[in-house]
Amino acid sequence: MHCFLSDSYRDHNPKYEYFRGEKVPCFESVERLDNIVKALQARGHKTVSPDHDATGVIHTLHDPVYVQFLETAWQQWLALDPANEALQPFPSVWPTRTLRDDVVPDNFIAKLGLYSMDNGTPLAQGTWRAAKSGADAAVSAAQYLLNGNGSVFSASRPPGHHAGRDFMGGYCFLNNAALAAQTLLEQGMKKVVILDIDYHHGNGTQSLFYDRDDVLFISLHGDPKTEFPFYLGHGDEAGEGKGEGYNINYPMPAGTNFDQWLQCLEQALENIHSFQPEALVISLGLDTFAEDPISKFTIQSDDFFKVGHKLASLRLPTAFIMEGGYATEALGTNVVNVLEGFEQG
């Protein structure tokens, strides 16, 4: 499969994060994509550099003020104190209920809280370069489909599906899958599906398209009553306004096995068939894997071949956009199993 990859993914290399209140090494690491690249190459899939600039569509979907903050955040951090180069900034206050979010504070950490949904999304010196190059890869993947090709993989890092119009979170800064879908629409398509199969609900993607009828968003994920992002992803969230009926969530309990998960995927495929889209964007999270350290489904590596095969049954131009998956050693195998299952379908 044609695979877009920018080496700038290595520029985002924070050393630690806060997970459930504890300081831990980053689950979302450079090694994740390193292992994906090794698996792609070992099984004969070539990678190419992005060939389209995502700037325009980024400013369409994301608030330009938020984007400017991302572009300059590290410089702002260093301007406070040059010694900050050895430290990672984290938000410590958020504009929750009764607090104002319409006035941008001058204080850097307060601004970081304004544009963050959690404190588990660490910034590093090269975060913007990596995020922008990942967005370029996703938009390049969309353009590849528009050129008449049937399938493509965007090896984007950091992931994107938790990022909303004006906030980062869940390791995500720019919403790559949403940018790919928007590109398809801006270039003439009328209806596109985003199918999110990451273990964690794609809250950012849902929020971006919740009032639109040109994108059907479907997410299969861990129940938000117990799983991140906690505050979105329930089954009664169906869209609003023009978007009513175009948002479908399938939350599942911890311990869900492949057969149970597959039943939800079959329902999602029926939803997609009824929508009759022109293209399919897959938010490809592989943290549904049984050995993932921060997730609680029990899908095995060989099962991912069948996932790819099922997705191919839709017979749609399909862009796979990389999201989560934190069992680092197995991640490359699991990704390529999906892609090859799709190609063999």
Side-chain angles (χ1 to χ4, degrees):
M1 185 176 292
H2 198 82
C3 307
F4 285 103
L5 168 77
S6 169
D7 286 342
S8 294
Y9 77 83
R10 295 188 177 92
D11 292 341
H12 176 62
N13 191 23
K15 302 304 180 187
Y16 63 89
E17 64 173 279
Y18 287 98
F19 180 73
R20 306 297 186 265
E22 298 293 328
K23 184 178 177 180
V24 299
C26 290
F27 291 106
E28 204 292 287
S29 65
V30 171
E31 289 73 25
R32 293 177 61 248
L33 204 49
D34 284 346
N35 284 351
I36 293 172
V37 173
K38 289 177 185 176
L40 287 168
Q41 294 174 343
R43 289 161 67 172
H45 301 271
K46 295 176 64 175
T47 60
V48 298
S49 297
D51 53 12
H52 283 78
D53 184 354
T55 299
V57 70
I58 287 172
H59 284 88
T60 297
L61 280 187
H62 289 288
D63 186 333
V65 176
Y66 166 66
V67 175
Q68 183 182 38
F69 173 76
L70 287 181
E71 290 183 79
T72 62
W74 190 256
Q75 288 74 23
Q76 291 184 54
W77 178 235
L78 295 186
L80 295 175
D81 185 341
N84 283 346
E85 187 170 10
L87 303 173
Q88 291 177 202
F90 288 92
S92 58
V93 62
W94 292 264
T96 189
R97 292 170 295 280
T98 77
L99 301 180
R100 293 182 64 177
D101 62 3
D102 61 318
V103 179
V104 178
D106 294 331
N107 181 281
F108 174 79
I109 293 299
K111 281 193 285 189
L112 189 56
L114 179 66
Y115 297 124
S116 299
M117 61 173 275
D118 62 14
N119 75 335
T121 306
L123 283 165
Q125 183 174 6
T127 296
W128 171 250
R129 288 193 301 275
K132 173 59 166 55
S133 71
D136 290 343
V139 168
S140 297
Q143 291 288 346
Y144 187 77
L145 294 187
L146 288 162
N147 290 338
N149 298 289
S151 62
V152 62
F153 174 51
S154 171
S156 302
R157 177 186 175 271
H161 70 150
H162 295 303
R165 176 164 172 77
D166 60 357
F167 63 85
M168 65 187 81
Y171 312 134
C172 304
F173 301 89
L174 298 172
N175 196 311
N176 302 312
L179 295 170
Q182 182 67 24
T183 298
L184 295 172
L185 294 165
E186 289 183 359
Q187 297 299 317
M189 289 192 179
K190 303 300 183 185
K191 295 195 295 185
V192 173
V193 169
I194 300 177
L195 175 62
D196 192 325
I197 60 173
D198 191 281
Y199 180 79
H200 303 95
H201 177 254
N203 61 287
T205 313
Q206 174 172 309
S207 69
L208 285 164
F209 297 110
Y210 202 61
D211 61 353
R212 290 172 55 170
D213 60 4
D214 53 353
V215 174
L216 174 64
F217 176 66
I218 305 176
S219 181
L220 284 62
H221 53 269
D223 192 331
K225 288 184 290 186
T226 60
E227 307 303 317
F228 184 91
F230 303 114
Y231 307 115
L232 214 61
H234 299 282
D236 63 350
E237 297 160 11
E240 63 184 15
K242 288 173 57 178
E244 186 172 356
Y246 296 96
N247 192 91
I248 303 173
N249 288 322
Y250 291 101
M252 288 169 265
T256 291
N257 63 34
F258 183 58
D259 288 340
Q260 294 166 325
W261 186 90
L262 197 58
Q263 289 178 16
C264 289
L265 179 62
E266 294 281 10
Q267 294 177 46
L269 299 184
E270 292 178 10
N271 301 143
I272 293 169
H273 181 73
S274 297
F275 184 61
Q276 297 187 319
E278 295 167 78
L280 174 65
V281 175
I282 303 290
S283 271
L284 185 62
L286 281 303
D287 40 4
T288 52
F289 180 52
E291 297 175 27
D292 195 275
I294 61 174
S295 306
K296 300 172 184 174
F297 287 172
T298 63
I299 297 177
Q300 304 296 324
S301 286
D302 287 347
D303 295 330
F304 290 116
F305 281 111
K306 191 168 186 179
V307 173
H309 185 81
K310 286 286 185 182
L311 295 173
S313 71
L314 290 168
R315 299 293 184 260
L316 288 169
T318 301
F320 293 89
I321 311 296
M322 192 64 213
E323 300 287 3
Y326 308 100
T328 303
E329 292 301 317
L331 183 57
T333 296
N334 294 342
V335 167
V336 181
N337 285 359
V338 173
L339 301 182
E340 292 187 349
F342 183 90
E343 290 184 316
Q344 294 164 13

